[in-house]
Amino acid sequence: MRQRVMIAMALLCRPKVLIADEPTTALDVTVQAQMLDLFKTLTNDFGTALVLITHDLGVVAGVADRMMVMYGGRCIEKGPTDTLFYDPRHPYTLGLLHSTPNVDKRAARLDPIQGLPPSLEHLPRGCAFHPRCAFRFDRCFEERPPLLPVEDVREKACWYQGELNYEEVA
Ligand code: SF4
C-alpha cells in the first residue's frame, strides 16, 4: 500500500516521465500483478512514459514496450520487448533468458550464465562480457564493441555476427 501511495504521489504532478527502480521487489505475485496493472492504468490515463528498472524479466515482459539490457554499466542490446525476448542477438541477453524460469517450457534445469559480473571499477579490457561469453573470439579481448543498429528495430553492442545457437554452447 505504501508503494501504491508513493506512485500516486509521484503522479500528482502529472510528470512526463516516471522512473520506477525495482518497484516490485519484495512483493508477492498477487500484489505485484496489481502494481503492474496500476502502472498500466495510470500511465495510460496520464500519458506518462514509464522507465522501469528491474531484474525481473517477467515484469519487463508484462509491462514494457521497449527493453534495454545493461551489462557492466552499459547498454548492450535494445529494441522492442517481444523482439528481444523471442530473438535475442546479444549473448548476454540470450543467457539471461535461458537462466530464467519459464512455465511454458519444460526444462530439466536452468542454465545460469557462468562466472560473475565484473566490478564497474575494473571492467575487463575489450568487451566487458568476454570472460563469460561462449561466442567470444580474438577481437572481443581487445576492442569494446559499440552499440550499433542490427536491423531497423534494434541495436546491439557485440562483434559476433553469426547465429546465436544456444544449444551448441550450453
Ligand atoms: S563482443 Fe564478443 S565477447 Fe562480447 S558479447 Fe559479443 S561475442 Fe561475446
Side-chain angles (χ1 to χ4, degrees), residues 90-91 127 129-130 133 135-137 140 145 157-160:
H90 192 285
C127 173
F129 188 57
H130 86 252
C133 182
F135 297 89
R136 67 189 175 202
F137 56 103
C140 309
C158 176
W159 296 124
Y160 184 76

Side-chain angles (χ1 to χ4, degrees), residues 3 7 10 12 29 37 54 87 109 118 136 155-156 167:
Q3 276 167 291
I7 292 168
L12 278 177
V29 287
D37 282 344
T54 181
D87 185 22
R109 61 183 172 86
R136 67 189 175 202
E155 295 168 61
K156 75 165 183 174
E167 309 307 329

Side-chain angles (χ1 to χ4, degrees), residues 27-145:
L27 300 180
D28 66 51
V29 287
T30 307
V31 180
Q32 181 174 308
Q34 291 170 354
M35 284 284 290
L36 297 182
D37 282 344
L38 182 67
F39 273 136
K40 285 190 227 175
T41 304
L42 293 179
T43 52
N44 287 340
D45 289 354
F46 285 86
T48 301
L50 174 66
V51 178
L52 187 62
I53 302 165
T54 181
H55 288 84
D56 189 330
L57 290 175
V59 170
V60 176
V63 173
D65 299 321
R66 294 183 58 79
M67 170 176 169
M68 176 186 284
V69 183
M70 307 283 296
Y71 187 83
R74 297 193 177 97
C75 172
I76 53 92
E77 187 167 14
K78 68 176 179 178
T81 301
D82 53 353
T83 305
L84 266 61
F85 264 79
Y86 291 113
D87 185 22
R89 296 291 176 82
H90 192 285
Y92 179 61
T93 313
L94 182 77
L96 272 185
L97 293 169
H98 278 275
S99 59
T100 304
N102 184 339
V103 293
D104 295 327
K105 288 184 185 166
R106 290 180 64 87
R109 61 183 172 86
L110 291 175
D111 286 313
I113 301 171
Q114 300 301 317
L116 296 170
S119 158
L120 295 183
E121 293 175 355
H122 305 288
L123 286 175
R125 186 183 167 95
C127 173
F129 188 57
H130 86 252
R132 310 172 72 190
C133 182
F135 297 89
R136 67 189 175 202
F137 56 103
D138 292 350
R139 190 176 191 182
C140 309
F141 292 79
E142 299 298 329
E143 297 177 55
R144 191 172 86 208

